[in-house]
Amino acid sequence: MNHSDTEYMKRALQLAQQRGAEVSPNPKVGAVLVKKGKIVAEGAHERFGGPHAEIVALQKAGSRAQGATLYVTLEPCSHYGKTPPCAEAVIKAGITRVVAAMKDPNPLVSGNGFARLKKAGIKVQVGLLEKESRQMNDAFIFSQTQARPKVILKAAMTLDGKIATVKGKSKWITGPAARQKAHELRSSVDAILVGSRTALLDNPSLTVRSPGYKRNDGWPLRVLLDSKLQVKPSALMFQGSPKTVVFTSPNAPVALEKAFWHKGIQVFRVPLKEKVLSLKAVLKVLSALSVRSVLVEGGAEVHGSFLKEGLADELALFMAPKLFGGPSPGWVGGPGVLSPETAWKAKAVKVEQVGGDYLLTAKLGE
């Protein structure tokens, strides 16, 4: 592989990143077709259910694809999903060489697309800018390899870790820039999750309110954990175009569940574990719904439960340079740890200034 290969792959990655805001639960993918040292067509996967990047580029190129090299950020698919297999289209177009950033982690594809291309006599090279491709589709890859969505714990707090005053007031802890950044974070995930206490206290809409954001297919999904079905179907999180699903316990009143179903809101009953909903069961259902990433926005008990169960993967903590003090609530509840040695550990910690506040991001786990 030469310098030109790298530049063409960089362009494919750029296309995927710029145009892939609405593709999840599919991965972001970009494609570039090159013939005789010149780009003849480009493409990106731009919306879920729409044509894949390779197909977009091939359709733009037409007959010029014959004898060209395809640069693509992910292995061309080899199975029928919402669209036909891309590998077959690449073969029929007369492509002679495929340079891919990485193998698709999806078991339905993984290696099969490359095998079909090679069988057709196409030269295949894999691994160019693989790190960059993996970073771009981190949640998709995580969900395919771990068989559950990636979980990000998000909170807005003071420097002493408080999420409200002693009187329960929390609007607003952080400034406008940090709140806008939080909406950008929402736009990057497949689901936004809260517990019943947060829903009852704050009545959040859990929508994405960012300039230029126009996705209207029901995602990101809004998720409520409510073991007793205390939150009414008239709450803000059940209004508007984004879809909402509710998780409750086997003991919740059937009459209350029917009120949700009557409004077209799905309710899933999952087992209780130590008097709270089984988070493993919740994530299993969300995975079946094609959710690749979940932003957990609280409350403190929910955050504590995800940490306790070892099901929290990343942190996104917005911190205002303020102190509330006193017995104000913190962002992590639950029983906590008994000694410093058993504390949950964060790594790859990064801090950036957002307006007058700060955003701390980190990874959790070993």
Side-chain angles (χ1 to χ4, degrees):
M1 296 185 187
N2 54 41
H3 176 71
S4 295
D5 284 340
T6 302
E7 293 306 310
Y8 293 137
M9 187 62 78
K10 282 182 179 178
R11 177 56 184 162
L13 286 164
Q14 185 182 48
L15 289 166
Q17 190 68 53
Q18 288 178 344
R19 303 180 187 178
E22 299 181 35
V23 302
S24 195
N26 283 349
K28 296 177 182 178
V29 183
V32 175
L33 281 171
V34 178
K35 190 173 182 178
K36 296 180 180 178
K38 293 184 178 180
I39 294 176
V40 295
E42 299 178 335
H45 186 31
E46 297 190 23
R47 62 177 177 82
F48 180 62
H52 290 186
E54 304 95 312
I55 303 303
V56 174
L58 290 171
Q59 288 176 344
K60 288 181 180 178
S63 61
R64 292 176 298 166
Q66 181 78 36
T69 294
L70 169 66
Y71 296 85
V72 63
T73 57
L74 189 69
E75 176 181 4
C77 64
S78 57
H79 68 294
Y80 281 89
K82 283 187 173 290
T83 59
C86 292
E88 291 303 317
V90 171
I91 294 167
K92 289 178 181 178
I95 300 297
T96 55
R97 177 174 173 243
V98 171
V99 180
M102 62 175 287
K103 184 166 72 171
D104 193 327
N106 184 344
L108 292 172
V109 180
S110 194
N112 294 327
F114 291 145
R116 291 176 82 164
L117 296 175
K118 289 176 182 177
K119 188 176 180 181
I122 296 173
K123 186 178 180 181
V124 176
Q125 294 171 272
V126 187
L128 181 61
L129 301 185
E130 180 175 355
K131 180 182 177 182
E132 289 80 355
S133 182
R134 285 185 170 276
Q135 288 175 340
M136 181 174 65
N137 285 309
D138 175 62
F140 175 79
I141 294 168
F142 183 98
S143 69
Q144 296 297 316
T145 56
Q146 303 298 317
R148 68 166 177 84
K150 182 177 74 170
V151 174
I152 307 161
L153 304 187
K154 176 253 178 183
M157 69 187 73
T158 60
L159 289 181
D160 53 343
K162 307 297 187 179
I163 58 173
T165 67
V166 290
K167 290 191 174 182
K169 296 185 180 298
S170 60
K171 292 183 179 179
W172 295 102
I173 291 176
T174 55
R179 297 199 297 273
Q180 186 55 55
K181 185 78 171 180
H183 280 284
E184 292 174 14
L185 184 58
R186 282 182 177 179
S187 74
S188 70
V189 299
D190 293 340
I192 305 162
L193 182 151
V194 296
S196 58
R197 181 172 171 80
T198 295
L200 290 168
L201 287 175
D202 299 342
N203 193 22
S205 61
L206 300 185
T207 54
V208 177
R209 299 184 293 281
S210 292
Y213 185 79
K214 60 184 186 296
R215 186 164 186 168
N216 59 5
D217 61 354
W219 286 55
L221 196 67
R222 299 177 292 193
V223 182
L224 172 66
L225 305 185
D226 189 355
S227 61
K228 298 177 182 177
L229 292 181
Q230 299 175 87
V231 182
K232 300 273 191 277
S234 58
L236 284 178
M237 66 182 299
F238 301 111
Q239 313 302 316
S241 60
K243 299 173 184 175
T244 307
V245 295
V246 178
F247 288 90
T248 193
S249 71
N251 310 323
V254 174
L256 294 178
E257 180 183 350
K258 286 181 178 178
F260 284 101
W261 284 106
H262 184 69
K263 288 195 65 173
I265 301 164
Q266 284 185 294
V267 178
F268 297 94
R269 290 180 183 264
V270 295
L272 289 168
K273 183 178 181 182
E274 297 179 11
K275 297 182 180 180
V276 298
L277 298 179
S278 166
L279 295 179
K280 282 189 177 180
V282 168
L283 292 180
K284 185 175 182 180
V285 173
L286 291 178
S287 183
L289 295 175
S290 296
V291 169
R292 313 299 188 194
S293 56
V294 181
L295 186 66
V296 180
E297 296 205 359
E301 295 302 314
V302 174
H303 282 146
S305 294
F306 272 99
L307 286 165
K308 182 182 176 184
E309 294 298 312
L311 295 172
D313 307 297
E314 295 184 7
L315 299 176
L317 306 178
F318 292 90
M319 298 179 294
K322 303 172 183 176
L323 301 168
F324 283 174
S328 309
W331 77 276
V332 179
V337 300
L338 299 179
S339 68
E341 290 74 23
T342 57
W344 298 291
K345 296 177 177 63
K347 58 185 180 181
V349 178
K350 296 179 182 177
V351 178
E352 63 175 290
Q353 188 163 359
V354 184
D357 304 304
Y358 299 88
L359 170 60
L360 182 150
T361 56
K363 296 185 182 299
L364 294 165
E366 298 304 319

